[in-house]
Amino acid sequence: LENLPAIRSAITPPGANGQPEPISPVIEDVNDSREEAGTITKVTDALKWGLLLISVLLLVASLLLVGNTIRLSIYARRREVEVMKLVGATNWFIRWPFVVEGLVCGLIGGLVAVMVLFLGKQTVLDPLADTFDIVTSEPTLSFAKLMIVLLATAMAVSAIGSGLTLRRFLRV
């Protein structure tokens, strides 16, 4: 959108008489669609902010779900945690199994998300790629790298949720 004037002047530079003349006889008229481009930009920006808000809400929901799962696990084993604290176990010695449990839950959840993403790619995106050229454009991130990022993020969110939940329960 910002380059429209430069593109217009490149396509229709000033001629010998000082008036803009197209660079090719094929070009009859250059339309300036700033209003349409501005509308597309506004809609795209609104979608970006909306998706960012949804992502933040899903991240918070994930942290709360993992925290609740770990809280239930701690509650089920609260006597063992109390005994370990009373015999002198450090907080990290007690915390480590719960963090590992959170990591495993995050890994399983991330694998489910990757499988859903893969199935969606196979059933929706790949058939559309034959019809629409925009779908077949150069990918910004390969599927393997995206899978690794998703799994790492799921595990990190689970580990953070586990660690934050345990802080309260380790005070005996």
Side-chain angles (χ1 to χ4, degrees):
L1 181 61
E2 295 83 24
N3 294 334
L4 283 176
I7 293 171
R8 183 183 190 110
S9 65
I11 292 175
T12 56
N17 59 3
Q19 296 294 330
E21 293 183 18
I23 58 174
S24 170
V26 176
I27 301 172
E28 293 177 8
D29 188 28
V30 178
N31 294 327
D32 194 356
S33 304
R34 290 179 197 233
E35 294 82 24
E36 292 87 0
T39 303
I40 291 170
T41 303
K42 286 178 186 176
V43 169
T44 304
D45 288 343
L47 281 172
K48 286 179 186 177
W49 283 107
L51 290 175
L52 179 66
L53 178 66
I54 289 171
S55 298
V56 168
L57 289 174
L58 287 174
L59 179 67
V60 169
S62 298
L63 285 172
L64 291 174
L65 283 171
V66 168
N68 192 34
T69 303
I70 299 300
R71 186 175 298 129
L72 289 172
S73 177
I74 292 170
Y75 187 74
R77 295 184 263 172
R78 67 185 180 278
R79 299 280 183 227
E80 291 88 357
V81 171
E82 289 175 8
V83 169
M84 286 193 295
K85 284 296 285 184
L86 291 173
V87 296
T90 64
N91 284 345
W92 271 106
F93 184 79
I94 298 168
R95 185 179 290 174
W96 193 245
F98 294 104
V99 171
V100 170
E101 182 179 344
L103 286 172
V104 170
C105 288
L107 178 65
I108 292 169
L111 287 173
V112 169
V114 166
M115 290 305 296
V116 169
L117 185 65
F118 179 75
L119 289 174
K121 178 185 178 302
Q122 293 295 319
T123 58
V124 176
L125 194 62
D126 288 347
L128 287 177
D130 298 334
T131 308
F132 299 105
D133 285 337
I134 195 164
V135 176
T136 61
S137 65
E138 187 66 31
T140 56
L141 192 63
S142 70
F143 189 76
K145 289 179 184 176
L146 179 63
M147 183 179 71
I148 291 169
V149 168
L150 284 174
L151 289 175
T153 303
M155 292 176 70
V157 167
S158 298
I160 290 169
S162 304
L164 291 176
T165 303
L166 283 167
R167 287 187 322 162
R168 188 179 119 208
F169 287 97
L170 289 178
R171 295 185 203 123
V172 177

